[in-house]
Amino acid sequence: MDQVATLQLESVDLQSSRNNREHHTQEMGAKRLTVRRGQLFYLRLSFSRPFQSQSDHITFVAETGPKPSELLGTRARFFLTRVRPRNVWSASDFTIDSNSLHVSLFTPANAVIGHYILKIEISQGQGHSVTYRLGTFILLFNPWSPEDDVYLPSEILLQEYVMQDYGFVYKGHERFITSWPWNYGQFEEDIIDICFEILNKSLHYLKNPAKDCSQRNDVVYVCRVVSAMINSNDDNGVLQGNWSEDYSKGVSPLEWNGSVAILRQWSAGGGQPVKYGQCWVFASVMCTVMRCLGVPTRVVSNFRSAHNVDRNLTIDTYYDRNAEMLSTQKRDKIWNFHVWNECWMIRKDLPPGYNGWQVLDPTPQQTSSGLFCCGPASVKAIREGDVHLAYDTPFVYAEVNADEVIWLLRDGQAQEILAHNTSSIGKEISTKMVGSDQHQSITSSYKYPEGSPEERAVFMKASRKMLGPQRAFSPFLDLLESGGLRDEPAQLQLHLARIPEWGQDLQLLLRIRRVPDSTHPQGPIRLVVRFCAQALLHGGGTRKPLWRHTVWVNLDFGKETQWPLLLPYSNYRSKLTDEKLIRVSGIAEVEETGRSMLVLKDISLEPPHLSIEVSERAEVGKALRVHVTLTNTLMVALSSCTMVLEGSGLVNGQITKDLGTLVAGHTLQIQLDLYPTKAGPRQLQVLISSNEVKEIKGYKDIFVSAAGAP
């Protein structure tokens, strides 16, 4: 019998274009193979002669990480078989076509994610084997696979939370929510490599690379590593936080349009943290990384968000009799808004019932297991007050549920409780609505309706778990259980007389209505109302007063009076932060009793609006004329104006233009051509910043047709 020639590999076709399309990674390009775990992908191997299944033995080897090991799950050896076994590495369903072998490879839905090397070992009979390198592939989480811990059974939601490469962050104030367009850009060509570079620079990897890689099959583990690595408090993370308002050594957090520029700068700099980020930047960059890795992720804004370090579920704020909000040495604060992420996953580490959306917060606020990271905390656990469940659930629970106690300070002593607000924290918890540019309130997924029996019962349950042995010495809980505070002889409200625009005088209206109370059930009262306006900082503090005013009011029983107030532009022009927020506080003192009442109004000032228009149908590779128009509606010129354009599939990186000075009342018109590179729905983000206003933002949704499409 003739000796059969040795089987030699001559070429391999990884079929990247087909596989990437079937694995929803075609947006990353077809130059290399990028697949998702728990799903078949296909290869064609070309040999020196026809493959003979009886005598030719092929073993596949897939390896990832620095020290691949079958024990650690970072190396797999599997044979060519006719029938595919369940949820293990396998090569099956093969067909022979002349000298070619078509084969289906399967990766288990709990495989380690990462960059893999794929090899085959060929042997005949008992002879020695020869190893060939077939190539490399990237393996990602698979939210389309029912076997994967990140499985999300809705194509509409998968398109939104995995495939959508742009979106919105919601900022401002719960009554003035502003949409902030953001370019996630998770499918830009180099972003997937940068995501794994982030994992490879974590402290876990640096300490024990082989062990770290072996744990990358676990979405909970990967999420916690990414949460720690987006900030740079412990490591060479992506972003350095800065809340000082001095951004001269980097970029203001307000001047970022998207994640791509940040991630590329971090990678190009060898892992040096990018300056600077705040909560919405941290969360948006984490959204890019997690969507790129295959985990359904969204960005969530919590308005009036508590930072409750001492875990007592109360935030104390202090005012003096002149209505000035006072600074405090306490770290407990109420942020105007705070932004975090939710990632979708099964929580096998928790009892049943806590799957689904999980809070992850990459903003460095407090340590978790020794590192600045937060989560995943089950949203269901937060709603039910199950604060004993991992990870960091008490901290997130307090962010949306803490109570606010406002004190009047006299001679440095807290003398009077002006307000005890059980529903002022955790307002309008918002995320982008699926398939829409609008925001959606998801507050009800975090807590029962404010003031409902269920909400108070959950609050008491969480309080007892968090306060523990202190329970016996908690006047706060006693106050809660005893029912409310004293009644007031008058009701005070502050209203805006018109839309507040930056650069204009602000017109307010004070409304006071006399109501019966236990001290003065009937009869007139006399009030002195002292007002104070202060710039409100994002982190909950204030600057020194920029405006004061006092009014005296005589109020008859059952009567209501209105008092106009004017806060001139000249008072706040140079006193605000870049975010243009003002807190107007008023303290009304009842002359007959000396008791005080508080009225508050937070004002978010509208910047000028820009418009973006495109003049024709967008098509891949063809010039697209874009018109950007900005009218300066302010009373002052905008100096040192610059414009930055960004948008995945529309702009390669960023386009930056210096625009000079825009005189008050004048209009700026800019025309430029873009050359779209990707078909489908896209978003162009435009930022114009100046010395006076940092964040004049706009966006345009653009549908791009494929090249040559009718």
Side-chain angles (χ1 to χ4, degrees):
M1 181 176 170
D2 292 337
Q3 179 73 32
V4 177
T6 303
L7 186 72
Q8 296 177 330
L9 181 71
E10 294 194 337
S11 66
V12 59
D13 179 5
L14 297 178
Q15 300 190 35
S16 298
S17 183
R18 173 195 177 183
N19 287 320
N20 290 5
R21 186 173 61 254
E22 293 183 2
H23 284 249
H24 306 93
T25 61
Q26 71 274 20
E27 285 276 316
M28 295 180 183
K31 290 181 182 176
R32 54 184 178 170
L33 181 60
T34 307
V35 294
R36 300 185 186 277
R37 62 188 195 175
Q39 186 175 337
L40 290 167
F41 64 98
Y42 306 97
L43 308 178
R44 189 178 78 234
L45 307 178
S46 296
F47 296 108
S48 54
R49 61 167 174 78
F51 172 75
Q52 298 177 0
S53 57
Q54 290 79 17
S55 56
D56 296 324
H57 303 294
I58 293 180
T59 303
F60 288 83
V61 179
E63 297 177 333
T64 187
K67 293 180 180 177
S69 156
E70 290 179 52
L71 186 64
L72 292 174
T74 50
R75 184 174 194 265
R77 293 183 84 248
F78 47 103
F79 307 104
L80 195 60
T81 58
R82 286 284 180 194
V83 180
R84 178 169 67 85
R86 280 186 58 81
N87 210 29
V88 293
W89 288 87
S90 61
S92 60
D93 305 324
F94 64 88
T95 58
I96 301 165
D97 176 17
S98 185
N99 288 8
S100 294
L101 178 70
H102 298 263
V103 62
S104 305
L105 266 60
F106 182 82
T107 61
N110 61 352
V112 168
I113 64 164
H115 287 83
Y116 277 82
I117 296 171
L118 185 63
K119 298 181 278 193
I120 57 168
E121 299 168 356
I122 302 176
S123 63
Q124 288 171 273
Q126 299 301 312
H128 72 284
S129 65
V130 179
T131 300
Y132 295 89
R133 178 180 163 127
L134 299 183
T136 62
F137 67 93
I138 298 171
L139 188 64
L140 302 175
F141 292 109
N142 191 354
W144 281 267
S145 168
E147 307 297 320
D148 200 305
D149 285 350
V150 300
Y151 175 57
L152 181 58
S154 162
E155 186 60 33
I156 293 172
L157 298 184
L158 287 164
Q159 290 301 316
E160 182 73 49
Y161 297 131
V162 180
M163 300 302 292
Q164 187 83 282
D165 62 1
Y166 60 85
F168 297 92
V169 180
Y170 298 101
K171 300 177 58 186
H173 187 271
E174 79 260 24
R175 292 193 191 91
F176 309 99
I177 296 175
T178 55
S179 300
W180 181 279
W182 193 270
N183 179 37
Y184 296 123
Q186 68 267 32
F187 301 124
E188 293 289 300
E189 201 167 331
D190 50 348
I191 295 301
I192 183 68
D193 297 311
I194 298 173
C195 290
F196 283 107
E197 190 182 340
I198 289 169
L199 297 181
N200 290 346
K201 280 194 163 62
S202 76
L203 294 180
H204 296 282
Y205 182 89
L206 296 176
K207 183 179 178 182
N208 190 333
K211 182 183 178 187
D212 173 73
C213 285
S214 76
Q215 291 178 277
R216 293 183 188 175
N217 65 327
D218 178 4
V219 64
V220 171
Y221 178 81
V222 172
C223 282
R224 281 182 66 75
V225 170
V226 174
S227 172
M229 279 299 297
I230 297 299
N231 69 71
S232 59
N233 283 39
D234 311 291
D235 41 47
N236 283 334
V238 175
L239 280 157
Q240 182 175 324
N242 184 344
W243 290 267
S244 74
E245 299 175 67
D246 176 9
Y247 310 120
S248 56
K249 294 181 180 178
V251 175
S252 163
L254 293 167
E255 294 184 44
W256 297 113
N257 259 351
S259 307
V260 176
I262 294 168
L263 290 166
R264 284 176 174 165
Q265 183 179 326
W266 176 81
S267 178
Q272 284 301 304
V274 175
K275 299 174 180 177
Y276 293 104
Q278 289 183 9
C279 62
W280 67 91
V281 187
F282 290 116
S284 298
V285 173
M286 182 160 182
C287 183
T288 295
V289 173
M290 297 316 299
R291 285 187 184 180
C292 186
L293 295 176
V295 180
T297 304
R298 60 190 186 183
V299 173
V300 173
S301 297
N302 177 38
F303 292 91
R304 289 190 54 79
S305 185
H307 181 85
N308 187 211
V309 178
D310 57 16
R311 291 172 51 133
N312 67 352
L313 283 175
T314 57
I315 308 289
D316 296 310
T317 51
Y318 301 91
Y319 289 81
D320 66 15
R321 66 191 299 266
N322 295 314
E324 179 181 344
M325 183 178 170
L326 304 172
S327 60
T328 170
Q329 296 306 307
K330 284 188 173 184
R331 290 171 59 204
D332 283 13
K333 291 282 191 298
I334 302 172
W335 296 44
N336 303 325
F337 66 92
H338 183 51
V339 184
W340 58 65
N341 301 99
E342 286 179 2
C343 293
W344 180 273
M345 68 190 76
I346 291 171
R347 290 296 300 274
K348 291 177 179 173
D349 58 323
L350 298 182
Y354 298 96
N355 300 332
W357 290 116
Q358 313 287 320
V359 171
L360 284 129
D361 189 349
T363 299
Q365 296 183 87
Q366 67 168 20
T367 57
S368 173
S369 303
L371 294 177
F372 277 94
C373 66
C374 179
S378 163
V379 173
K380 176 75 178 300
I382 295 161
R383 188 173 195 256
E384 300 301 332
D386 294 324
V387 293
H388 59 289
L389 297 176
Y391 289 88
D392 309 303
T393 310
F395 184 78
V396 183
Y397 179 86
E399 287 183 300
V400 299
N401 282 298
D403 281 10
E404 179 186 22
V405 180
I406 303 176
W407 298 85
L408 179 65
L409 225 61
R410 285 192 177 130
D411 302 321
Q413 298 293 315
Q415 290 204 341
E416 191 178 338
I417 293 180
L418 293 169
H420 168 221
N421 298 324
T422 60
S423 60
S424 66
I425 286 170
K427 308 291 284 184
E428 285 297 322
I429 304 171
S430 299
T431 193
K432 178 184 176 296
M433 190 178 289
V434 174
S436 164
D437 289 353
Q438 302 302 308
H439 80 273
Q440 172 189 0
S441 175
I442 54 171
T443 311
S444 61
S445 64
Y446 279 83
K447 51 187 176 181
Y448 290 95
E450 293 284 6
S452 66
E454 296 92 344
E455 184 263 341
R456 284 290 96 182
V458 166
F459 189 90
M460 298 307 301
K461 169 184 169 184
S463 301
R464 290 193 175 90
K465 286 179 179 175
M466 289 171 69
L467 292 170
Q470 303 172 32
R471 169 71 188 97
F473 309 102
S474 175
F476 161 65
L477 278 183
D478 294 337
L479 174 71
L480 271 188
E481 290 175 335
S482 68
L485 292 157
R486 60 177 200 201
D487 52 355
E488 307 286 8
Q491 292 174 348
L492 286 81
Q493 291 181 316
L494 271 173
H495 297 275
L496 282 163
R498 68 179 187 196
I499 293 172
E501 292 186 75
W502 195 87
Q504 307 288 336
D505 295 344
L506 304 180
Q507 296 179 9
L508 297 105
L509 200 62
L510 171 67
R511 285 189 181 146
I512 311 177
R513 184 165 170 264
R514 174 76 170 93
V515 292
D517 70 310
S518 55
T519 311
H520 281 87
Q522 303 286 332
I525 57 172
R526 181 170 168 79
L527 302 176
V528 54
V529 190
R530 299 177 179 90
F531 289 99
C532 176
Q534 296 167 271
L536 194 54
L537 308 180
H538 173 60
T542 52
R543 285 181 171 174
K544 292 292 181 188
L546 54 88
W547 174 81
R548 292 187 188 275
H549 190 69
T550 305
V551 299
W552 286 265
V553 182
N554 291 311
L555 205 56
D556 289 329
F557 182 75
K559 298 293 184 183
E560 181 176 306
T561 187
Q562 297 187 357
W563 205 285
L565 302 169
L566 184 72
L567 202 171
Y569 169 59
S570 57
N571 280 67
Y572 71 78
R573 173 177 176 175
S574 58
K575 304 286 178 61
L576 301 188
T577 68
D578 290 338
E579 296 202 48
K580 308 288 188 264
L581 280 165
I582 298 174
R583 169 161 293 175
V584 178
S585 317
I587 289 186
E589 190 175 316
V590 183
E591 288 196 350
E592 289 79 1
T593 63
R595 276 173 42 185
S596 300
M597 296 173 289
L598 176 71
V599 62
L600 296 173
K601 186 70 175 177
D602 290 344
I603 302 170
S604 176
L605 300 179
E606 289 268 320
H609 295 275
L610 59 82
S611 72
I612 308 160
E613 297 299 331
V614 292
S615 54
E616 63 271 303
R617 175 172 168 269
E619 185 178 324
V620 170
K622 283 196 173 180
L624 178 67
R625 177 64 54 90
V626 175
H627 305 265
V628 179
T629 306
L630 172 65
T631 299
N632 182 0
T633 56
L634 309 185
M635 296 159 65
V636 295
L638 298 175
S639 58
S640 301
C641 295
T642 59
M643 179 176 72
V644 179
L645 286 85
E646 193 167 326
S648 288
L650 296 170
V651 178
N652 184 17
Q654 293 178 321
I655 297 173
T656 304
K657 280 185 174 293
D658 290 324
L659 305 176
T661 297
L662 179 56
V663 176
H666 284 223
T667 297
L668 194 63
Q669 291 186 318
I670 306 119
Q671 292 185 16
L672 69 164
D673 288 340
L674 305 180
Y675 293 85
T677 57
K678 291 182 179 180
R682 303 289 160 195
Q683 188 185 81
L684 178 67
Q685 294 97 14
V686 180
L687 166 70
I688 295 180
S689 60
S690 67
N691 291 336
E692 291 72 25
V693 183
K694 292 295 182 196
E695 48 168 332
I696 303 172
K697 275 217 167 197
Y699 72 94
K700 184 73 175 177
D701 292 331
I702 299 170
F703 185 85
V704 180
S705 300

